């Protein structure tokens, strides 16, 4: 069993890991110990298995060991190809999520399960995409807009529509670099083709291609995912909730929602309020149905309904260990296959719902969007009927939970900013107050802190330490994904946390009535951050790269994070990584990412495994950007 010393910032995690040990249950920490040190070749990115002449492992050290693969590929080629493929996989995951949501919008109807919740946002998008709306039924408009979005995945000509939202200088940079993405699927396919054996071997060309594909994620798939989810399920507004495993209820049916796409979780929320199912819950002896979210599905439903947050990526096994989860319901992405053996040790049902993510040993109940509510009710019923199987001697719910304020969509942020606008002088509904406090130096800058958990770091340590250091230095933090859940659990997304901020940020929090760390949603909602930065840059008449803004992923682990890092960088925002990507076997690729890309995009990557050093580097960079911004006037 594992050495659990210091695996988590949260003592409660440690208690559950101890419980697992006592009950003879294996967790990821045990497997991490069994795994020992990671493979050095894989870690440096110099292992190639693209063709069957290999696998080839080349030496990252010049003049020592194999310098080329059998085909002659160098370490630079192998590293850059692997990295580009990570970007393609990440882009595919976010974008396929978006495609599903666009299909759901195409299905939406007045009397159906899926309706339009934010008509204004739909009409704004219709206008942006030149869809005629006059005299048309809102659902006809929705279907037309959905069809246009679906064409963004495979259109034969042109570039992505949302690129037009970027500041003018940014569009010119993309134009000059020839990295404006064409259709989303095309960019993914191009990477897969170009990285096939015997195609591109030039590292710079691969990094360049990677940027274009990543932009297809940020300004394509992810942006469609966010916009369409808001139109269908409502644009988030600030609301109160609680976070951490202490939100699980001993006397209720606990259903854990885990995964990513809100089309399923929205229906589960509706089903959990169905009077017949609530009655059934009472009949089996429970006091009610308690939904709790995990990973990005958790973020989607907390942003729109205030559903409590059970935890982040690292806690999916720990939630089951409490012994009170009747069902873990998942769709796609970030789901441990180990949920099968671990749920087998308890009464918990592990229910997969997507044909894209079937997991051996799980109960598969396919979610049918055409009969969405009926499907969701069936799934909730399974959970209720499982309540009787709880093993009382295995129950342990940690007490820890924190109050959190969530729901900061761009629209919600602007509405909060309106509180300080003198409407006699300035128009409402702009980012002017934000631009003003940044220019004046009341806020030194802003940081988007995002991403996962990774056993290479102590659970949540990177997220929390970086956030605390930045807010103490008057840098406002916006956050999504598992980083947002870490912040919520640590109380940093509560308005009370303003006391940890520097004087400038404290004053802003008080005047605008916001916490110093704003929960902006799920991983696809990094598009909200990109939109907010771009709107501020446009308002100030500059480019994204001129603003004192940084992107940070202290504990990232997934290929989606690699796509995100690259689209954030290609959008002109520096990216700080607390986990090294598998590129260190190629000095050429490291030099490109941490140095030469800046000449192209105005931004670059910074990497350091020491979170506090990383935060110091951010503060230095923010001040450098401030000096340049002053020169721009
Ligand atoms: Fe080896 Fe080249 Fe095949 Fe890669 S593509 S496995 S380096 S022969
Ligand atoms: S869920 S991608 S672990 S942030 Fe979006 Fe969390 Fe990372 Fe999955």
């Amino acid at each position: 069993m594992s050495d659990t010393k210091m695996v988590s910032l949260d003592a409660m995690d440690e208690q559950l890991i101890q419980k697992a040990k006592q009950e003879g249950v294996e967790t990821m920490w045990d497997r991490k110990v069994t795994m020992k040190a990671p493979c050095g070749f894989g870690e440096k990115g110099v292992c190639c298995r693209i063709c069957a002449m290999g696998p080839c492992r080349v030496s990252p050290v010049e003049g020592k060991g194999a310098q080329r693969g059998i085909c002659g590929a160098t370490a630079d080629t192998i590293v850059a190809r692997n990295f580009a493929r990570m970007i393609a996989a990440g882009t595919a995951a976010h974008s396929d999520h978006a495609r599903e949501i666009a299909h759901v919008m195409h299905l939406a109807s007045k009397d159906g399960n899926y309706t339009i919740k934010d008509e204004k946002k739909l009409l704004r998008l219709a206008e942006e995409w030149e869809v005629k709306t006059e005299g048309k039924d809102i659902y006809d408009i929705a279907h037309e807009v959905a069809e246009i979005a679906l064409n963004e995945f495979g259109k034969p000509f042109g570039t992505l529509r949302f690129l037009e939202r970027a500041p003018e200088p940014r569009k010119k940079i993309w134009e000059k670099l020839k990295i404006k993405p064409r259709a989303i699927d095309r960019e993914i396919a191009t990477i897969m083709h170009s990285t096939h054996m015997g195609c591109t071997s030039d590292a710079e060309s691969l990094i360049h291609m990677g940027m274009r594909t990543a932009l297809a994620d940020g300004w394509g798939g992810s942006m469609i995912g966010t916009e369409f989810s808001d139109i269908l399920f409502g644009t988030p507004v600030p609301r109160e909730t609680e976070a951490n495993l202490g939100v699980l209820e001993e006397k209720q049916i606990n259903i854990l929602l885990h995964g990513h796409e809100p089309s399923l979780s929205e229906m589960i929320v509706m089903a959990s309020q169905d009077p017949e199912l609530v009655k059934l819950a009472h009949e089996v002896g429970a006091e009610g149905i308690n939904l709790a979210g995990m990973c990005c599905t958790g973020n989607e439903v907390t942003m729109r309904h205030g559903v409590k947050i059970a935890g982040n990526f690292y806690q999916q096994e720990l939630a089951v260990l409490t012994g009170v989860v009747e069902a873990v319901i998942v769709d796609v992405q970030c789901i441990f296959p180990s949920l099968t053996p671990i749920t087998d040790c308890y009464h918990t049902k592990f229910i997969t719902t997507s044909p894209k993510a079937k997991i051996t040993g799980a109960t598969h109940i396919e979610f049918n969007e055409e009969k969405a509510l009926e499907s969701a009710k069936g799934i909730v019923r399974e959970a209720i009927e499982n309540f009787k199987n709880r093993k009382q001697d295995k129950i342990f719910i940690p007490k820890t939970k924190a109050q959190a304020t969530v729901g900061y969509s761009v629209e919600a942020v602007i509405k909060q900013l309106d509180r300080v606008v003198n409407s006699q002088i300035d128009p409402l509904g702009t980012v002017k107050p934000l631009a003003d406090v940044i220019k004046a130096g009341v806020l030194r800058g802003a940081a988007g802190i995002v991403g996962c958990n990774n056993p290479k770091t102590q659970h949540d340590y990177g997220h929390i330490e970086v956030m605390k250091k930045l807010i103490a230095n008057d840098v406002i933090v916006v956050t999504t994904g598992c980083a947002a859940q870490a912040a919520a659990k640590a109380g940093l997304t509560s308005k009370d946390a303003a006391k940890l901020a520097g004087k400038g940020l404290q004053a802003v929090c008080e005047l605008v009535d916001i916490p110093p760390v704003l929960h902006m949603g799920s991983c696809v909602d990094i598009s909200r951050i990109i939109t907010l930065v771009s709107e501020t840059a446009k308002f100030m008449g500059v480019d994204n790269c001129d603003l004192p803004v940084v992107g940070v992923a202290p504990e990232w682990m997934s290929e989606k994070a690699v796509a995100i890092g690259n689209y954030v960088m290609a959008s002109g925002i520096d990216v700080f990584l607390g986990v090294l990507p598998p590129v260190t076997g190629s000095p050429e690729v490291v030099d490109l990412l941490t140095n030469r890309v800046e000449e192209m995009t105005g931004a670059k990557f910074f990497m350091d495994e020491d979170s506090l050093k990383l935060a110091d580097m951010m503060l230095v960079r923010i001040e450098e950007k401030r000096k340049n911004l002053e020169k721009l006037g």
Side-chain angles (χ1 to χ4, degrees), residues 13 31 209 372 614-615:
D13 284 2
R31 293 188 293 274
M209 214 179 280
L614 202 65

Side-chain angles (χ1 to χ4, degrees), residues 39-219:
C39 161
F41 292 94
E43 199 174 39
K44 291 183 166 55
V46 288
C47 171
C48 181
R49 48 179 180 76
I50 276 174
C51 89
M53 291 193 287
C56 300
R57 309 185 311 184
V58 301
S59 170
V61 185
E62 220 181 284
K64 207 177 151 201
Q67 297 289 296
R68 289 178 181 265
I70 292 170
C71 67
T74 61
D76 295 335
T77 301
I78 293 171
V79 167
R81 269 196 313 220
N82 289 341
F83 192 64
R85 282 193 170 205
M86 289 180 93
I87 295 173
T91 302
H94 281 150
S95 303
D96 214 29
H97 162 161
R99 189 194 327 257
E100 287 298 328
I101 304 294
H103 272 296
V104 166
M105 191 145 113
H106 205 261
L107 262 183
S109 67
K110 190 165 157 269
D111 307 313
N113 291 157
Y114 295 109
T115 56
I116 301 299
K117 295 271 167 41
D118 191 340
E119 289 192 9
K120 274 194 198 155
K121 193 158 186 164
L122 171 61
L123 291 173
R124 277 204 305 276
L125 183 56
E127 196 191 334
E128 184 180 334
W129 285 358
E130 294 169 339
V131 172
K132 289 207 174 70
T133 56
E134 226 178 273
K136 271 194 197 161
D137 181 83
I138 197 77
Y139 285 91
D140 290 337
I141 298 168
H143 299 158
E144 209 173 312
V145 167
E147 216 170 298
I148 294 175
L150 289 166
N151 276 318
E152 291 291 275
F153 290 85
K155 64 185 181 187
F157 307 109
T159 54
L160 295 182
R161 287 168 180 260
F162 278 144
L163 300 175
E164 288 308 313
R165 292 181 169 189
E168 285 307 317
R170 184 59 24 193
K171 285 192 249 177
K172 287 200 183 109
I173 287 174
W174 291 340
E175 192 84 52
K176 193 173 149 221
L177 293 174
K178 296 195 174 69
I179 54 170
K180 279 181 136 182
R182 302 152 300 174
I184 299 165
D185 290 350
R186 182 176 179 184
E187 298 307 350
I188 297 163
T190 300
I191 290 258
M192 295 312 286
H193 177 184
S194 292
T195 56
H196 184 275
M197 194 273 155
C199 266
T200 308
S201 74
D202 179 57
E204 183 164 338
S205 176
L206 287 158
I207 296 302
H208 186 271
M209 214 179 280
M211 284 196 266
R212 189 173 59 194
T213 303
L215 286 170
D217 176 350
W219 295 80

Side-chain angles (χ1 to χ4, degrees), residues 226-536:
T226 299
E227 294 284 284
F228 279 51
S229 296
D230 283 357
I231 291 168
L232 279 166
F233 309 123
T235 302
V237 295
R239 58 182 87 240
E240 299 299 310
T241 190
E242 290 175 333
N244 218 340
L245 290 170
V247 305
L248 297 174
E249 296 284 350
E250 187 161 356
K251 295 191 172 142
Q252 295 197 39
I253 312 284
N254 291 298
I255 298 178
L256 196 69
L257 297 171
H258 176 21
H260 278 78
E261 292 170 7
S263 42
L264 165 73
S265 49
E266 281 287 326
M267 287 300 128
I268 301 278
V269 172
M270 272 171 81
S272 70
Q273 292 158 0
D274 178 81
E276 254 182 50
L277 289 175
V278 174
K279 190 167 158 251
L280 183 64
H282 290 143
E283 280 167 13
V284 301
E287 285 181 359
I289 303 169
N290 182 38
L291 299 184
M294 182 147 282
C295 282
C296 283
T297 279
N299 287 325
E300 298 278 357
V301 286
T302 200
M303 290 283 281
R304 298 196 177 86
H305 302 281
V307 168
K308 293 173 186 173
I309 298 165
N312 53 5
F313 182 63
Y314 236 37
Q315 286 169 294
Q316 52 190 290
E317 292 179 331
L318 300 184
V320 177
L321 282 161
T322 62
V324 293
V325 175
E326 272 56 57
V328 182
I329 300 169
V330 302
D331 55 6
V332 290
Q333 300 167 23
C334 302
I335 305 150
F336 279 9
S338 70
L339 288 178
T340 300
I342 205 162
T343 50
D344 283 349
C345 298
Y346 298 86
H347 76 301
T348 309
K349 283 211 162 166
F350 177 31
I351 302 174
T352 53
T353 58
S354 168
K356 289 177 201 163
K358 285 193 175 176
I359 295 175
T360 313
T363 306
H364 188 74
I365 306 178
E366 200 140 312
F367 180 62
N368 179 351
E369 271 111 355
E370 291 186 14
K371 294 180 188 158
L373 187 56
E374 210 180 299
S375 279
K377 281 186 190 171
I379 294 168
V380 172
R381 187 179 291 272
E382 288 274 335
I384 297 172
E385 285 167 356
N386 194 26
F387 184 68
K388 60 177 183 296
N389 297 321
R390 264 199 205 173
K391 295 169 183 143
Q392 293 304 322
D393 58 328
K394 287 199 168 177
I395 293 175
F396 168 66
I397 309 177
K399 294 272 176 284
T400 325
K401 61 181 175 183
Q403 186 278 331
T405 309
V406 297
Y408 290 97
S409 56
V410 174
E411 292 83 342
V413 171
I414 290 178
K415 196 152 179 242
Q416 291 303 121
L417 293 174
D418 277 347
R419 295 168 67 97
V420 291
V421 172
N422 179 348
S423 57
Q424 308 286 322
I425 305 169
D426 289 319
L428 294 171
T430 76
V431 289
K432 183 172 185 294
L434 181 61
D436 286 348
V437 285
I438 288 179
K439 254 192 184 167
V442 178
L443 290 188
R444 305 307 294 168
I449 304 187
V450 304
C452 326
N453 297 131
N454 189 318
K456 287 179 178 161
T457 72
Q458 190 189 15
H459 181 202
D460 288 344
Y461 174 85
H463 295 310
I464 301 311
E465 292 308 308
V466 171
M467 284 180 195
K468 280 187 180 163
K469 184 139 194 186
L470 292 183
I471 63 171
N473 283 280
D474 290 325
V475 174
I476 192 165
V477 171
V478 291
T479 179
T480 65
C482 291
Q485 293 171 326
K489 289 185 291 164
L492 296 180
T493 61
S494 81
K495 290 176 192 166
D496 268 1
K499 60 177 184 274
L500 302 174
K503 288 236 160 19
L505 177 55
Q506 241 177 53
V508 171
C509 291
E510 202 174 302
L511 282 169
V512 183
D513 190 27
I514 50 169
V517 178
L518 301 179
H519 189 316
M520 291 191 88
S522 64
C523 297
V524 293
D525 293 336
I526 294 169
S527 67
R528 297 191 202 276
I529 302 178
I530 292 284
T531 302
L532 191 58
V533 174
S534 297
E535 287 308 305
T536 310

Side-chain angles (χ1 to χ4, degrees), residues 4 6 19 22 98 233 270 422 425 430 508 568 571 577 579 632-633:
T4 61
M6 304 288 288
K19 180 177 190 278
Q22 281 154 16
F233 309 123
M270 272 171 81
N422 179 348
I425 305 169
T430 76
V508 171
V568 169
S571 298
L577 302 176
V579 174
L632 292 172

